[in-house]
Amino acid sequence: MEIEKMFQGMDYVYEVYKEMSFSRAAKNLYISQPSLSAAVKKVESQIGFPIFDRSSNPIRLTEPGKEYIRSAERIMEVEHGFQNYVNDMQGLKSGGIAIGGTNLFVSYVLPPLLSRFTENFPMLHVNLVEASTSELEEKLSSGALDLMIDSQSMDSVVFEKKFFCEEHLLLVVPKSLRSNEKVEKYALTISDIKANRHLDADVLPVPLEHFREDCFLLLKSGNDTRNRAEKICRKSGHFYPRARLELDQQITAYNLSRYGMGISFNGDILIRHMPDDGSLVYYKLGYPDAVRNVNFYYKRNRYITKMVSAFLNLI
């Protein structure tokens, strides 16, 4: 059995794996679905086992298929590393960089950084990937991303990081809520947040117990912002927040708070980019869990290209 033949159709197999659909993968590859199916079956014939279980909907990997994909990712990482080396030998005149982030970072943090970076390297190809933190971590681990930006802590055994900034979570409350009347002296405006007044030591954190009867807009279970919000409520207000809705993104929670749907926890990175429509009141949170670091992560022991180094130096 010749090893090289097993991986001749690797790109086709990997695209089907990413999409878990032959039709979508064929569309991405600009080939017909029968041609793609034939190419994958040829690989399966070479290894002697099916890679995909076609009896399920959507399709899924078989056990040999999972091992094939792991091996394919190692091969692609070696190829990617060598291509990066060749690009470096040619200088910073061409090549690309793949950077990932959640909606918050792709929308508000990365654009000015990438604008400045591409001014210096106009021939650079940038692949900007927006996804959830778990999806981005998987892509970074497999080599599909060079860098990802996130405020969640990641495994230091697998990933290295470069500090970018601090993010401070704030309580975002609809102005219409009567609970605001009890805590007027702690209230901040969006202008205060944009001027960083919430970072001043003389600005006191709000006593959260005054909001224990109100409804909250929380991110979904497992999200770092959700975990921190629950800890802050327990430690500061001695209550568990009652969720009216559970959401995927900070920006969604923020906009729903603007329409009076409930209280949300949002970072100052997002709030500084929002318009001032007078619909919200902001409060400082006084626990360490309200502060977290935003870092750029990259895979440990992976070849770092001059392009990635140049970007890290920029930030």
Side-chain angles (χ1 to χ4, degrees):
M1 193 182 297
E2 297 181 32
I3 297 296
E4 62 270 18
K5 287 185 178 180
M6 296 184 201
F7 292 96
Q8 282 178 349
M10 178 178 69
D11 292 343
Y12 292 146
V13 173
Y14 199 76
E15 191 63 33
V16 176
Y17 157 68
K18 286 195 301 180
E19 294 291 344
M20 283 303 168
S21 164
F22 277 87
S23 59
R24 289 197 299 269
K27 185 177 180 181
N28 295 345
L29 293 165
Y30 301 101
I31 63 173
S32 69
Q33 186 172 334
S35 297
L36 177 59
S37 296
V40 172
K41 283 182 180 177
K42 184 175 180 181
V43 176
E44 291 175 323
S45 171
Q46 290 288 345
I47 66 174
F49 296 98
I51 294 173
F52 297 102
D53 178 0
R54 295 164 176 81
S55 66
S56 63
N57 188 18
I59 62 172
R60 61 186 179 185
L61 290 170
T62 62
E63 285 304 315
K66 291 177 183 177
E67 187 56 41
Y68 182 94
I69 292 298
R70 282 192 286 267
S71 298
E73 287 179 337
R74 289 195 289 270
I75 292 170
M76 288 188 289
E77 186 169 1
V78 171
E79 290 177 342
H80 183 68
F82 183 71
Q83 183 60 55
N84 287 334
Y85 172 79
V86 171
N87 289 339
D88 280 354
M89 292 296 289
Q90 294 172 343
L92 291 173
K93 297 178 181 178
S94 62
I97 184 170
I99 305 177
T102 59
N103 174 270
L104 169 67
F105 297 112
V106 168
S107 299
Y108 301 110
V109 175
L110 288 175
L113 294 175
L114 291 175
S115 176
R116 287 163 53 199
F117 191 57
T118 53
E119 282 180 9
N120 295 328
F121 306 104
M123 300 301 291
L124 171 71
H125 172 71
V126 177
N127 181 19
L128 190 57
V129 179
E130 179 182 333
S132 67
T133 297
S134 59
E135 291 170 324
L136 293 167
E137 184 174 350
E138 183 178 331
K139 291 179 183 293
L140 188 64
S141 182
S142 71
L145 288 178
D146 296 303
L147 296 168
M148 69 172 277
I149 180 172
D150 208 87
S151 55
Q152 188 162 304
S153 296
M154 292 173 56
D155 188 352
S156 60
V157 175
V158 181
F159 304 105
E160 294 191 58
K161 64 185 178 184
K162 182 163 184 178
F163 173 77
F164 178 63
C165 70
E166 276 189 348
E167 181 183 36
H168 296 255
L169 291 178
L170 293 148
L171 196 70
V172 179
V173 182
K175 187 173 282 188
S176 58
L177 285 188
R178 294 189 63 181
S179 302
N180 290 308
E181 298 172 5
K182 309 170 189 175
V183 289
E184 284 184 4
K185 68 177 181 179
Y186 301 95
L188 297 167
T189 66
I190 194 168
S191 296
D192 292 328
I193 308 306
K194 292 182 178 182
N196 289 328
R197 280 207 62 234
H198 61 295
L199 304 182
D200 293 346
D202 60 345
V203 174
L204 298 176
V206 67
L208 274 180
E209 62 266 19
H210 294 295
F211 300 99
R212 65 168 57 244
E213 302 302 323
D214 293 310
C215 290
F216 285 77
L217 305 168
L218 301 175
L219 299 192
K220 290 182 178 177
S221 181
N223 183 281
D224 185 63
T225 301
R226 167 70 174 266
N227 294 339
R228 289 171 182 269
E230 291 178 346
K231 287 179 183 178
I232 291 167
C233 286
R234 287 198 304 269
K235 291 177 181 178
S236 177
H238 307 291
F239 70 97
Y240 189 86
R242 182 159 50 98
R244 169 171 282 178
L245 291 170
E246 295 185 339
L247 307 160
D248 287 312
Q249 302 287 347
Q250 275 193 51
I251 183 65
T252 309
Y254 185 90
N255 282 327
L256 288 171
S257 289
R258 288 177 59 207
Y259 284 93
M261 291 289 291
I263 299 169
S264 60
F265 290 81
N266 285 275
D268 52 0
I269 291 175
L270 171 67
I271 295 169
R272 290 190 188 103
H273 289 88
M274 294 296 101
D276 185 3
D277 62 4
S279 63
L280 297 168
V281 184
Y282 305 86
Y283 297 97
K284 181 176 181 176
L285 298 166
Y287 277 74
D289 288 309
V291 183
R292 59 189 176 189
N293 290 340
V294 176
N295 298 296
F296 277 91
Y297 289 95
Y298 51 99
K299 192 173 181 182
R300 189 176 291 276
N301 299 324
R302 184 183 175 190
Y303 179 78
I304 301 299
T305 68
K306 290 180 181 178
M307 198 69 73
V308 172
S309 295
F311 183 83
L312 292 173
N313 288 336
L314 167 73
I315 67 168

